[in-house]
Amino acid sequence: MAQDRPLPLGKIEPNSAKYFYSCALGGIIGMASPALQEDQARPTHTAVTPLDLVKCRRQVDPKIYTSNLQAWRSIFAKEGLRGVFFGWSPTFLGYSFQGAGKYGLYEYFKHLYGDTMFPQTNRTLVFLSASASAEFFADMALCPLEAIKVRMQTTLPPYASNLREGWSRIVAKEGFGSLYKGLYPLWARQIPYTMTKFATFEETVGMIYRTMGKPKESYGQLTQTGVSFLGGYIAGIFCAVVSHPADVMVSKLNADRKGKL
C-alpha cells in the first residue's frame, strides 16, 4: 500500500527490496546461531552442535551411547572440546544459507501470493503456500552442507576433519550428485516443518492479539517480543512432532555405510 508520508527514521518499508534483504539477514543470524524446536532453531543451530552431533550418531546407531550426557563425556574424554563441537562449520554455513532463503523468500512469496497474485485467498493458505515455496529453495542450499555435516559426525574415525576436506572427498569419490541424495527426505522433513511453523506462528500471534483486544501496533516493543516468543514456542512444539521421522531418514541416508561408529 502506498505511503502517505515518509517512514520514520530507521523504519523499513514493508515488502520493499530492503525489507526482503533484511528478513534474509535476520534468517542468517537466527538460523546459523539453535532453537526451541527439534530443528534447533538458530545463534541457535551452531550453538547446539554438541546436541546435534549426538542426535545424528544415535539416529544412525541407537546403541552407540546410553544417554546424551554419557555421549558428551565420552567424546570430550577422547577428543576434547573440539570433538564436542565437531561439524560446526558445515552447520554454520548450511543453516546460514537456509535461514536466508527460508525467511527472506517466505516474506517475498507471502507478498507475491497474498497481495499480488491471489489477494482474496484465505490468509492461512497463503502462509502455507509461501512457507512451502521458501523452504523448497532454501533446502537446495542447505542439502550439500547437511550431507557433509552428517558424514563428518556419524563416522569414526571422522570422514573428514573440516568442511573443505569433506566436500572434496565426497565429490572426488562419489560425484557432486551424492551431496543431494538426501534432498528428498530433507524436503520431507523441512517443508512440512516450515509450513507448520509459519502458519501456526502467524495464526497463534493473531489469536493472541485478538484475545488481548488491541492491534499489534498499539503495544510496546517488549509486549510484541513476548507475544512473538510465545507464538514461536507454541509453533515449535508442533514442528518437532511433524519433522522428526524424516529427520531420522536424513541422518541415515547421509551417513557413511562403511564407516563405524
Side-chain angles (χ1 to χ4, degrees):
M1 187 170 67
Q3 297 290 330
D4 295 326
R5 58 173 180 264
L7 290 169
L9 185 64
K11 296 291 184 179
I12 299 175
E13 181 179 355
N15 302 320
S16 63
K18 187 176 181 180
Y19 174 77
F20 297 134
Y21 295 151
S22 297
C23 290
L25 178 59
I28 292 174
I29 295 172
M31 291 290 285
S33 41
L36 300 171
Q37 56 265 35
E38 180 276 336
D39 178 35
Q40 267 125 291
R42 297 133 293 255
T44 46
H45 231 107
T46 304
V48 293
T49 297
L51 182 60
D52 191 44
L53 171 67
V54 174
K55 180 201 71 170
C56 288
R57 289 184 178 178
R58 296 185 74 180
Q59 285 175 337
V60 173
D61 183 1
K63 298 179 180 180
I64 185 173
Y65 304 121
T66 58
S67 67
N68 288 352
L69 186 59
Q70 184 269 329
W72 290 321
R73 285 175 176 171
S74 175
I75 295 170
F76 184 80
K78 295 177 181 178
E79 307 169 52
L81 188 61
R82 181 180 182 277
V84 176
F85 281 88
F86 190 64
W88 74 268
S89 55
T91 299
F92 176 82
L93 190 60
Y95 283 94
S96 292
F97 288 158
Q98 191 209 27
K102 181 195 294 279
Y103 289 92
L105 289 176
Y106 171 68
E107 293 297 333
Y108 171 75
F109 283 121
K110 186 169 69 171
H111 171 62
L112 179 65
Y113 297 157
D115 300 331
T116 304
M117 297 177 64
F118 311 106
Q120 305 303 318
T121 301
N122 177 274
R123 295 303 295 176
T124 300
L125 183 59
V126 171
F127 300 150
L128 292 170
S129 302
S131 57
S133 299
E135 191 63 49
F136 179 86
F137 292 105
D139 287 346
M140 291 182 180
L142 168 64
C143 189
L145 295 152
E146 180 79 351
I148 295 169
K149 182 207 75 160
V150 172
R151 187 73 65 90
M152 288 172 61
Q153 291 181 336
T154 58
T155 54
L156 290 176
Y159 182 84
S161 60
N162 55 53
L163 171 58
R164 183 166 63 178
E165 182 183 350
W167 183 288
S168 299
R169 288 194 63 185
I170 293 176
V171 171
K173 291 185 176 182
E174 305 171 38
F176 181 78
S178 65
L179 293 171
Y180 281 91
K181 70 180 181 181
L183 182 59
Y184 290 158
L186 189 62
W187 276 335
R189 180 187 80 182
Q190 290 298 131
I191 291 178
Y193 168 89
T194 301
M195 292 172 69
T196 301
K197 175 167 67 175
F198 281 116
T200 303
F201 173 79
E202 300 267 17
E203 295 295 341
T204 300
V205 168
M207 183 181 66
I208 292 173
Y209 282 118
R210 288 193 296 272
T211 301
M212 294 171 67
K214 295 180 181 179
K216 173 183 176 180
E217 294 74 19
S218 64
Y219 294 97
Q221 190 64 44
L222 182 61
T223 300
Q224 291 186 28
T225 300
V227 171
S228 295
F229 179 86
L230 179 59
Y233 186 86
I234 294 172
I237 295 173
F238 288 96
C239 291
V241 175
V242 168
S243 66
H244 182 71
D247 184 55
V248 176
M249 290 303 300
V250 171
S251 294
K252 288 184 177 293
L253 276 175
N254 284 312
D256 187 351
R257 297 295 195 280
K258 297 179 182 179
K260 282 189 175 182
L261 281 172

